[in-house]
Amino acid sequence: MAMNKQLNPASFMALLLDAVCAVDSDGRFVFVSAAGEQIFGYPPEEMVGRSMLAFIHPADRERTLAAAGKIMTGQPNPHFENRYIRKDGQVVHIMWSARWSESNQMRIAVARDVTERKRAESMQAALFAISEAAHAAENLSALYQHIHQIIGELLPAQNFAVALYDAASRQLSVPYQVDTRPADTPLTPPDLCELGTQVIGSGQPLLWQRSPPQPADDCEALGDPLLQSWLGVPLCTKQGVIGVLILKSYHVSMAYTRQHQELLQYVSTQVATAIERKQLHSRLQHMAQHDALTGLPNRALLNDKLQDALAKAIRHNSRVALLYLDLDNFKHINDSLGHSAGDLLLQAVAQRLSQCVRGADSVARIGGDEFIVLIEDLQRQEHASLVAEKIQQAFAMPIDIKTSTLHINVSVGVAHFPEHGSNGQQLLSHADDMMYQMKKQRRGLPAL
């Protein structure tokens, strides 16, 4: 016959993996089971008597109080989640099942650590968000900002940089960097490119840390000692390592750990794929909108720029001018010196034209030896004529092509908005007519 054993509820409760807690009407812990130490990092005796708000993540305190208020009115809540700050400073996600005991005037709750589940959900969400950002971002700069925000939701990323490696030139560039290093930091930061190059060379993550300086015996202790903590993870694709994701911290309250490294490594492959995809898209877009020979905007991009300029001029009641340019006797030069010399001449013309305009203006090649200069936000009509004269003066100087010195004449036609047209096609047509009139006058032919 089986022997009856005396059950000890306390001993069974100590074996539970979830923590059993009791909180009084003032929000103070009156009981925490043994499992609480594993979850919260504090021995139960260090939690009992203290307000629960002292342990809750600051961002979750308000909604936790709201949920507690509803429970105290008799509404049980079996699935409430919030975050606590462990004794070691780590954040732990808690799933609570709680109800109010009217007779004891206490909230009785069971706490389950769901940090790993939340981390897995966050990581999957981050991968999806990065993939979405690769499609939604307008350009690489916007993509880097999106990636920074996404990674910042996974781990501390206030100081963040993307470094990209060009295998052809063996150069490391930093197209995106946010660095909030305090101006009075006594430590000299390590060279970002130097450490990034180490990651590129090894293809392995690098967790680097320098302890804060210790004061001399006759000096006062540092009030807020600083720490340099640096985490770099390679961006790997099928083509190799294309760059590095970099996190930096300057304060002792935030030193990167192996766990942070694992999180960053987890998303790095998706980040690398997103950057590579956006780089390819940018190259294809540039090829579609720019002249392959000179690198100038082509007719399609010029039309887009012209439409935008006209819309802006209408909104702000400003002016726009178009200069239509054609090289005189280009066919003769091309035929006598060869097409390669003609290509070099067109490249030299493009460079010289670009030096004659403001940064806000545009120079485009629309085909053959025909170029367009778009002048936006024109203050006075005569300013366009001044630009045309500047271009003529620039081409009064000879151009050296291979072993030949060429003297080039440029015919220029000018059209003004709104005097010569209300849309881009009308302006281009008028400027083209004016250019041919100048060309005929130079040949001694009567102008139309």
Side-chain angles (χ1 to χ4, degrees):
M1 185 174 181
M3 181 181 297
N4 291 328
K5 294 185 178 179
Q6 185 69 30
L7 297 179
N8 185 345
S11 64
F12 279 96
M13 188 175 295
L15 296 176
L16 294 177
L17 298 177
D18 297 338
V20 179
C21 305
V23 180
D24 64 20
S25 57
D26 293 327
R28 296 182 178 277
F29 284 107
V30 295
F31 175 79
V32 178
S33 68
E37 184 170 3
Q38 181 67 28
I39 297 175
F40 303 109
Y42 292 90
E45 58 270 19
E46 291 187 18
M47 299 184 69
V48 170
R50 297 178 62 183
S51 171
M52 66 176 187
L53 292 179
F55 305 95
I56 297 173
H57 192 289
D60 292 349
R61 288 173 183 170
E62 185 174 347
R63 66 183 187 86
T64 300
L65 287 174
K70 291 182 179 180
I71 292 171
M72 292 173 69
T73 63
Q75 302 179 43
N77 192 333
H79 302 296
F80 178 73
E81 293 185 19
N82 65 2
R83 292 168 295 175
Y84 270 56
I85 306 296
R86 286 173 50 89
K87 190 173 184 178
D88 59 8
Q90 297 296 314
V91 175
V92 59
H93 293 260
I94 306 295
M95 167 74 79
W96 294 94
S97 177
R99 69 181 304 160
W100 176 249
S101 171
E102 183 65 29
S103 60
N104 296 298
Q105 289 293 293
M106 292 182 190
R107 293 196 305 275
I108 310 300
V110 176
R112 172 167 293 181
D113 184 350
V114 293
T115 303
E116 290 302 319
R117 190 203 76 194
K118 297 294 291 187
R119 181 179 290 115
E121 291 175 354
S122 297
M123 291 165 72
Q124 289 298 321
L127 294 184
F128 179 78
I130 292 168
S131 179
E132 287 289 297
H135 295 284
E138 294 182 1
N139 49 46
L140 278 166
S141 179
L143 176 62
Y144 300 143
Q145 293 180 29
H146 284 314
I147 290 172
H148 186 185
Q149 295 170 358
I150 294 166
I151 290 178
E153 295 177 1
L154 280 180
L155 66 164
Q158 185 177 20
N159 302 304
F160 177 81
V162 177
L164 296 182
Y165 180 67
D166 185 346
S169 64
R170 297 184 179 180
Q171 295 294 317
L172 192 68
S173 62
V174 186
Y176 181 83
Q177 180 175 196
V178 174
D179 195 335
T180 60
R181 175 175 174 261
D184 58 348
T185 300
L187 301 177
T188 302
D191 183 81
L192 185 146
C193 287
E194 179 182 347
L195 293 178
T197 301
Q198 292 184 37
V199 176
I200 294 291
S202 67
Q204 299 297 319
L206 177 62
L207 183 59
W208 181 92
Q209 192 166 293
R210 177 163 60 192
S211 300
Q214 297 299 318
D217 294 339
D218 57 347
C219 296
E220 295 182 2
L222 295 173
D224 184 20
L226 294 168
L227 168 81
Q228 285 182 11
S229 184
W230 192 97
L231 174 59
V233 169
L235 293 169
C236 301
T237 68
K238 293 180 179 178
Q239 283 67 44
V241 180
I242 65 168
V244 188
L245 288 181
I246 298 168
L247 299 177
K248 294 178 288 183
S249 174
Y250 299 109
H251 295 275
V252 292
S253 59
M254 182 56 251
Y256 291 109
T257 65
R258 294 296 176 189
Q259 186 180 61
H260 294 130
Q261 177 181 309
E262 291 173 2
L263 284 172
L264 195 58
Q265 281 183 273
Y266 183 82
V267 299
S268 64
T269 301
Q270 188 75 8
V271 170
T273 300
I275 291 175
E276 193 175 50
R277 183 182 303 150
K278 184 58 68 174
Q279 286 175 328
L280 175 60
H281 179 267
S282 297
R283 286 195 295 270
L284 294 175
Q285 187 176 46
H286 187 274
M287 292 171 61
Q289 296 181 330
H290 290 79
D291 173 49
L293 178 63
T294 64
L296 295 177
N298 60 16
R299 186 184 291 271
L301 183 54
L302 171 69
N303 287 334
D304 291 342
K305 287 178 174 287
L306 181 54
Q307 294 305 316
D308 291 342
L310 293 176
K312 181 180 178 182
I314 293 172
R315 288 197 306 270
H316 300 287
N317 194 28
S318 58
R319 307 175 65 85
V320 172
L322 271 183
L323 276 61
Y324 203 120
L325 299 92
D326 181 87
L327 305 184
D328 296 343
N329 300 317
F330 175 72
K331 185 177 185 302
H332 172 72
I333 296 172
N334 215 27
D335 291 343
S336 60
L337 297 180
H339 290 287
S340 61
D343 289 347
L344 292 174
L345 175 59
L346 290 173
Q347 291 172 340
V349 168
Q351 183 177 7
R352 193 165 290 190
L353 283 176
S354 298
Q355 294 171 348
C356 293
V357 299
R358 304 170 302 176
D361 302 328
S362 301
V363 179
R365 181 189 178 208
I366 60 173
D369 59 334
E370 295 178 324
F371 296 83
I372 297 291
V373 174
L374 170 62
I375 305 175
E376 300 187 45
D377 195 22
L378 197 64
Q379 299 303 313
R380 299 173 62 182
Q381 185 170 346
E382 57 266 29
H383 286 174
S385 298
L386 294 176
V387 174
E389 291 177 10
K390 184 178 180 181
I391 290 172
Q392 296 283 7
Q393 293 172 2
F395 283 93
M397 301 294 293
I399 299 176
D400 293 326
I401 300 296
K402 293 185 176 179
T403 59
S404 301
T405 298
L406 304 179
H407 295 272
I408 302 299
N409 290 322
V410 179
S411 296
V412 183
V414 182
H416 293 276
F417 171 81
E419 288 82 3
H420 300 136
S422 59
N423 59 54
Q425 186 57 46
Q426 291 174 354
L427 293 174
L428 284 168
S429 179
H430 182 85
D432 188 19
D433 291 342
M434 293 300 100
M435 183 270 293
Y436 273 106
Q437 287 192 36
M438 175 180 284
K439 191 179 287 289
K440 288 182 177 182
Q441 290 173 359
R442 286 181 170 174
R443 293 174 181 172
L445 299 174
L448 294 178

